[in-house]
Amino acid sequence: MQRNWKRAASRTLLGASRVVAGMNAKLRDPASALIIPPASPGSLGDAAMITSAIAGLRRHGMTRTDLLTASPWPIDQQPDEAVDMEAFLDRGSRTSLARGLPRLSRYGHGYLIGADILDGVYHPEPVLTRLAVLKEILAGGGEATIFGSSFSETPNPTVVDELRALPQNIVIAAREPLSHERMERLLDRPIRLVADLAFLVEPVSEPEVVKNTFAWIKHRRTKGQRVIAFNINYLHEKSNPGLTAAATSFLSKIVDADVAVVLVPHDTRTDRSDYVLAKSAAAGLSDLQRESIHLLNATTPCDVKSVMASVDLLVTGRMHPAILAMGTGTPAFSMVYQAKFEGLYRLLGLQDCDLLIDPQAFCTRPDQAAARTLTLLENGDEIRAIIQSNLPNVRTLAEGNFTSA
């Protein structure tokens, strides 16, 4: 009985809010935008896309750019205002939606950062709630866009149905050619080919954490060492319990080859985050070996991109450190998952450069991964040349996230 009463009350509130939203639509500002993030704070990759989205929208004429979030993000470009509808985004709360509706009707544009969540493989519910926000903005007379996303061969069927049913005037973009092909085939609608927003991240300052890392890299180079960066992804540990031990073995072989390593944690969520795993992997080294290891305590995507420009190679379990590195011309040797990497490397002309490795292969044969890393260091100039020749086109594609045509 109480549950039925609550449902009826929420329906009444939702109906009243739609009436107010309809009235507020007259106050809609065509040059205002609301950005919908793919998740809660904790990922530097998501922060990179938000940073670029805010900067890009302002560059393309938006005079007001807000962010749908209840918590602050570690970003280099701050929104004009944070809008809290977290209870709806995360739990589907109708009360939260009703409270937000009058605000949504005032935006001229809504932008969803689809990232790697859009296919619903991780969880379908957060995708569906985010799409619902886009549709409400569209219903109020605004425009809606889904920024460049990845899409696997095995998307969630409910999410696929919802995406197929979206109005044709909602722009959906894919961030690399393989996802573009999958989305057009599975969603049966035109999809815009772009590149990831993070390719547009531009460092705006040089904080102490970056200065200290530059000084450390310079010191190691004076000792004749080459320098790589290394990221470990806690998501890989679920199916590869030996990940940390393999990372320790990998680092040991790299350092013994007279190569220094900057550890680059990417995601701070969960008690087994990238940060925790990186520190655990380094803890398994000898005191002498750890002299060639430096932990980058980056707080924003720009911190990471600044440092990536100063290393010779990145070895990574996550895609956005690879994008931030290759956006500076630095090659990235990546552990693949969720069918996200292959299209990215094709976009940069690197599909034949043997720069991808399965996480299981890394865990079972870290010695081979280390050997491949050392080989890539020797061939770095050739790979850099390929990246640099393709970067202008990739950046142009990334700007395509913001075009209306």
Side-chain angles (χ1 to χ4, degrees), residues 24-45:
N24 283 351
K26 300 175 183 177
L27 304 175
R28 185 174 62 254
D29 178 5
S32 64
L34 179 67
I35 298 171
I36 307 165
S40 300
S43 162
L44 280 177

Side-chain angles (χ1 to χ4, degrees), residues 329-353:
T330 297
F333 182 30
S334 297
M335 301 175 219
V336 298
Y337 69 104
Q338 284 293 96
K340 297 192 296 185
F341 290 81
E342 294 84 351
L344 167 66
Y345 279 72
R346 178 179 294 186
L347 200 63
L348 285 159
L350 299 171
Q351 64 270 22
D352 299 321
C353 293

Side-chain angles (χ1 to χ4, degrees), residues 12-30:
T12 300
L13 180 59
L14 202 54
S17 294
R18 284 207 161 91
V19 172
V20 176
M23 297 169 63
N24 283 351
K26 300 175 183 177
L27 304 175
R28 185 174 62 254
D29 178 5

Side-chain angles (χ1 to χ4, degrees), residues 234-392:
Y234 76 82
L235 293 174
H236 294 161
E237 191 180 42
K238 295 177 181 178
S239 53
N240 300 283
L243 177 62
T244 304
T248 299
S249 177
F250 170 84
L251 291 173
S252 177
K253 289 175 173 56
I254 292 295
V255 171
D256 287 349
D258 206 22
V259 177
V261 182
V262 178
L263 301 178
V264 187
H266 171 85
D267 198 303
T268 58
R269 293 172 288 198
T270 83
D271 57 2
R272 292 290 292 172
S273 67
D274 294 9
Y275 183 84
V276 172
L277 265 60
K279 291 189 70 174
S280 297
L285 301 173
S286 69
D287 291 343
L288 181 61
Q289 287 175 320
R290 281 197 296 274
E291 291 180 8
S292 294
I293 302 290
H294 176 81
L295 180 64
L296 174 63
N297 287 303
T299 57
T300 73
C302 285
D303 295 350
V304 175
K305 186 163 186 176
S306 294
V307 172
M308 291 303 96
S310 297
V311 301
D312 301 311
L313 175 73
L314 166 70
V315 179
T316 178
R318 291 188 181 271
M319 188 177 75
H320 277 103
I323 289 173
L324 293 172
M326 292 191 289
T328 72
T330 297
F333 182 30
S334 297
M335 301 175 219
V336 298
Y337 69 104
Q338 284 293 96
K340 297 192 296 185
F341 290 81
E342 294 84 351
L344 167 66
Y345 279 72
R346 178 179 294 186
L347 200 63
L348 285 159
L350 299 171
Q351 64 270 22
D352 299 321
C353 293
D354 197 16
L355 286 164
L356 302 177
I357 183 173
D358 185 89
Q360 186 177 8
F362 177 88
C363 289
T364 55
R365 294 303 304 272
D367 55 331
Q368 290 187 357
R372 178 59 187 157
T373 298
L374 297 174
T375 300
L376 290 171
L377 275 174
E378 296 300 324
N379 300 331
D381 289 345
E382 179 183 341
I383 298 171
R384 280 177 180 271
I386 296 172
I387 295 171
Q388 292 289 6
S389 68
N390 286 285
L391 265 180

